[in-house]
Amino acid sequence: MPELPEVEVTRRRLAPLLVGRTIASVETTKDSYFFLTKPPTLQLRLVGRTVRQLNRHGKYLLAELDDGDRLLLHLGMTGQLFSSAVTSPRLFSAKTRSSLTREGPPEFKADKHTHLCLHFTDGGPSVLFRDVRKFGKVLLLKSGIEDRRLGKLGVDALRATGRALFAAARARKVPIKTLLLDQAVIAGIGNIYADEALFLASVRPGRSARRVTASECDRIVAAAKRVMKRSIVTGGSSISDYVSPDGSDGGYQKERRVYARKGLPCLVCGTLIRRVVIATRSTHYCPACQV
DNA sequence: CTGTCCCTGATT
DNA sequence: AATCAGGGACAG
């Protein structure tokens, strides 16, 4: 489940593969709502373009092109962006691994879930966007055009402050976890890291946001940053669907303290971790440590 | 603000 | 065969 750390790891690994290279051709699967920009338009506008840089805001990736257009990429739930030249095939799932070439250096052969392939004029590795469930998005933004979904985003989680969270929390009576997941407040936090941050801050996910104090907001944001930075360093979390661009899975899943640990003892006090549903998302917390 | 839906694969 | 997973847009 790609959240900010997974998207940032993807950005770092993909940037050297994109920046400075010129797109020679574009291959896509058939049109679907995955393509906010239709495949023929993508072909028309991408071919011949050189990528200037690859940026990230929250869970969005933005490739800036030499004509000022920007290619917006969102991984959704199951999106994977990676090089066709796979360096660690053993870490792909068995099924995905079957799409690797047999002879020579491992290369990923586009399967039916590979919706976008960017090939480059230098003949080097291609960039592939694979997404089994198609919750991901591809959108080409014309130069100077702003996008509503980007405009709505709050401050990136790595730059967020407790003060900003507190300001939003005072006006809302939703559960604090719902607020953490609201990309318009803080961009980049998803279900896993929301649970982890609230655990580290000792705040129950279901508590009304307006009953969370300023110092608790400080703790929550600090914890969210800490846990996400740590996750970036270890290569991103990997529950089941996330694959780094080099084909490896992430290391952070070993570090989860509450997420998907229902019924297991709290690592701090031994109380059994509880699972509830908040904002239609599975939510995990320690009933003793978190108040 | 909450509920529904998009989609497919794994699990029950 | 039914249920679950959930990011985010949208309807109500």
Side-chain angles (χ1 to χ4, degrees), chain A residues 2-23:
Chain A
E3 304 183 25
L4 185 149
E6 292 75 29
V7 178
E8 176 62 17
V9 169
T10 297
R11 188 192 69 79
R12 291 181 186 184
R13 294 194 178 152
L14 220 52
L17 207 72
L18 277 173
V19 175
R21 298 179 79 196
T22 301
I23 297 167

Side-chain angles (χ1 to χ4, degrees), chain A residues 1-16 54-62 73 75 81 156-159 187-188 193 225 228-237 242-245:
Chain A
M1 303 160 204
E3 304 183 25
L4 185 149
E6 292 75 29
V7 178
E8 176 62 17
V9 169
T10 297
R11 188 192 69 79
R12 291 181 186 184
R13 294 194 178 152
L14 220 52
L54 185 61
N55 301 317
R56 180 192 59 76
H57 188 166
K59 302 174 194 173
Y60 287 88
L61 285 173
L62 282 160
L73 304 164
L75 297 176
L81 270 166
D156 187 82
L158 292 183
R159 284 185 254 292
Y193 296 100
K225 286 179 171 177
M228 290 206 255
K229 283 179 181 171
R230 170 77 184 143
S231 178
I232 291 169
V233 168
T234 58
S237 162
Y242 173 73
V243 177
S244 300

Side-chain angles (χ1 to χ4, degrees), chain A residues 44-64:
Chain A
L44 199 65
R45 304 194 63 97
L46 286 179
V47 171
R49 300 277 63 78
T50 301
V51 181
R52 282 272 158 78
Q53 51 179 331
L54 185 61
N55 301 317
R56 180 192 59 76
H57 188 166
K59 302 174 194 173
Y60 287 88
L61 285 173
L62 282 160
E64 272 187 37

Side-chain angles (χ1 to χ4, degrees), chain A residues 152-198:
Chain A
K152 279 194 316 195
L153 289 182
V155 60
D156 187 82
L158 292 183
R159 284 185 254 292
T161 60
R163 172 179 293 271
L165 180 61
F166 185 59
R170 301 194 65 163
R172 310 266 297 266
K173 58 181 182 195
V174 293
I176 183 63
K177 169 161 175 177
T178 303
L179 204 64
L180 279 182
L181 291 177
D182 186 344
Q183 304 298 299
V185 177
I186 295 177
I189 300 178
N191 205 35
I192 297 173
Y193 296 100
D195 282 4
E196 297 296 312
L198 288 168

